[in-house]
Amino acid sequence: MKGLFQKYKEVVAYLFFGVATTVINLVVYFICTDLLLLDYKLSNVISWFLSVLFAFFTNKYFVFQSLVGSRQLFWKEMFLFYWYRILSFVIDMGVMLLLIEVIHAPNFFAKLVTQVIVVVLNYFFSKFLIFRNEAQ
């Protein structure tokens, strides 16, 4: 059992922090829409920004354990992280618009669907394009 955990430790950590990031995204989103009565588009931007901030540090230090030795590499990772998160945000917003405004899916369902898509995309972006071992 221990060997199995060691083998999949990175994926387990990513899923754990991915769930935490998703919870932050959902909680902030519904606070903005239901309590603050903000438009769902603005709420999505706010929830995205705060969850990405959380995700950068948890992915960097706990999931991919990227301990870069210079400021330049740190900022490069941060830039790439945000760059790919912007890409996934554009996909997130596009799917939200499609599901809510075209298909007329319920708000909660649309948000959950987009989060599953974003979590999968972001793992691949982080693993293969951002926190690569060669950057260390």
Side-chain angles (χ1 to χ4, degrees):
M1 185 71 165
K2 185 178 179 180
L4 190 61
F5 176 76
Q6 285 297 79
K7 183 176 180 180
Y8 295 107
K9 183 172 82 169
E10 181 181 276
V11 173
V12 170
Y14 183 80
L15 290 175
F16 174 80
F17 288 111
V19 168
T21 300
T22 300
V23 168
I24 289 169
N25 188 293
L26 290 170
V27 167
V28 172
Y29 177 79
F30 287 107
I31 286 172
C32 290
T33 57
D34 295 348
L35 295 178
L36 301 176
L37 304 176
L38 298 176
D39 179 71
Y40 79 90
K41 293 175 216 108
L42 177 59
S43 299
N44 206 36
V45 171
I46 294 167
S47 66
W48 173 84
F49 179 80
L50 294 176
S51 62
V52 168
L53 186 62
F54 173 79
F56 174 73
F57 288 101
T58 58
N59 276 254
K60 178 173 178 46
Y61 294 112
F62 299 112
V63 177
F64 300 105
Q65 300 174 353
S66 175
L67 304 172
V68 296
S70 71
R71 283 187 198 167
Q72 182 180 10
L73 289 175
F74 174 86
W75 290 111
K76 179 182 176 185
E77 283 180 343
M78 183 175 269
F79 172 79
L80 288 173
F81 193 84
Y82 275 92
W83 175 256
Y84 285 109
R85 289 316 187 264
I86 289 169
L87 177 60
S88 66
F89 172 72
V90 168
I91 294 166
D92 180 340
M93 188 60 82
V95 174
M96 288 286 289
L97 289 167
L98 175 71
L99 290 174
I100 291 172
E101 294 190 7
V102 176
I103 298 175
H104 304 291
N107 191 17
F108 186 76
F109 173 79
K111 190 63 179 166
L112 286 177
V113 167
T114 61
Q115 289 309 291
V116 170
I117 293 167
V118 165
V119 166
V120 171
L121 281 174
N122 287 339
Y123 177 80
F124 287 102
F125 292 153
S126 293
K127 173 78 174 166
F128 300 110
L129 302 173
I130 302 166
F131 300 115
R132 300 180 301 189
N133 288 333
E134 66 196 25
Q136 299 177 24

